Amino acid sequence: MLRNKSVEEYIDRVAELISDARNIGVFTGAGISTESGIPDFRSEDGLWNRYNPEEFTYDKFLASPEVRRKQWVVLREGSLTREAKPNDAHYAIAELHRRGKLDCVITQNIDGLHQKSGVPDEKVFELHGNMKRAVCLKCGRRYTIEQVKQKLANGEDAPMCDECRDILKPDVVLFGEALPVKTLEEAARRAQTCDLFMVIGSSLVVYPAAYIPNYARQAAATIVVINLTPTYIDDFAEVVISEKAGETMNKVIQKVL
Ligand code: NAD
């Protein structure tokens, strides 16, 4: 474990670990996208300081058209459905893929920025879904967020499926809703096969997703954490860098051999 060194020394060590690694797993949370202009949940200017999380439960979404209307208004105006660009942290991870070192990205994010930065879809495990889609709860038909926005613009304030007129839900896991089982299982399995596991921009407090880095630890992967605030996995990490992910990963990737 590297402790009490300068940030530059930590960065050198992470670059060294990446150079030596063959199978890197990356676990990301909302913190990796704050430098792309998307607020996280729990920081000072995070979403939960502006909205009440209790309004965003699955049960409430199903129970009342009024809540669905409210949620779509927030989503329509929210940063998650606006065009955002990947930042240096996303691009550095995509570079790991280009260099043949990336096994997978396991993300709690719903913003699609890993794919946008160049990581292929099949390497991205979206534990909480993707905000760029909506899904019909009855027939399963998927809609793009642009199609939903068009419906909202046409005055359909709680959009329904064109085919079966059932409820359209953002294709994300709402509070109280189960995670996609296959994605979760495969992510857990992949975490156990990595030699290096990097946690970037997550408070690691939302379960079961937050348990994934622990699988990597139990399987003896070297753990690296890049996060502004402490997490439960820090004690088991070879390196912990409490700096911005984009700035840090940009420096790291330039030093990787
Ligand atoms: P979180 O808000 O709980 O934690 C974010 C963490 O990132 C914090 O510990 C914070 O200190 C750190 N952080 C913030 N900016 C950073 C930066 N520039 N560099 C490094 N670290 C930074 O988010 P979470 O752990 O992902 O869990 C909460 C839920 O948030 C997830 O379920 C996810 O679906 C949802 N969410 C996603 C997005 C998105 O898709 N971009 C945005 C908001 C919330």
Side-chain angles (χ1 to χ4, degrees), residues 29-31 33-35 38-43 47 80 108-111 128 201-204 206 226-229 243-245:
S33 295
T34 55
E35 288 161 83
I38 302 174
D40 61 10
F41 278 168
R42 290 174 186 77
S43 294
L47 292 171
L80 276 164
Q108 301 166 88
N109 291 349
I110 52 180
D111 55 29
H128 294 161
S202 176
S203 58
L204 296 186
V206 178
I226 302 172
N227 198 59
L228 287 176
T229 49
E243 301 284 330
K244 286 188 171 178

Side-chain angles (χ1 to χ4, degrees), residues 33 38 80 82 84-86 90 107-119 121 124 126 129-133 172:
S33 295
I38 302 174
L80 276 164
R82 266 191 251 123
K85 291 192 183 113
H90 298 101
T107 189
Q108 301 166 88
N109 291 349
I110 52 180
D111 55 29
L113 290 182
H114 288 296
Q115 292 92 327
K116 218 171 176 179
S117 69
V119 180
D121 230 351
V124 182
E126 294 176 316
N130 192 315
M131 194 55 228
K132 304 292 179 215
R133 302 183 299 256
V172 296

Side-chain angles (χ1 to χ4, degrees), residues 151-172:
K151 284 174 170 287
L152 292 163
N154 293 345
E156 231 188 287
D157 51 4
M160 308 292 274
C161 179
D162 292 336
E163 305 265 323
C164 62
R165 303 307 301 161
D166 210 87
I167 297 170
L168 286 189
K169 186 184 86 67
D171 197 8
V172 296

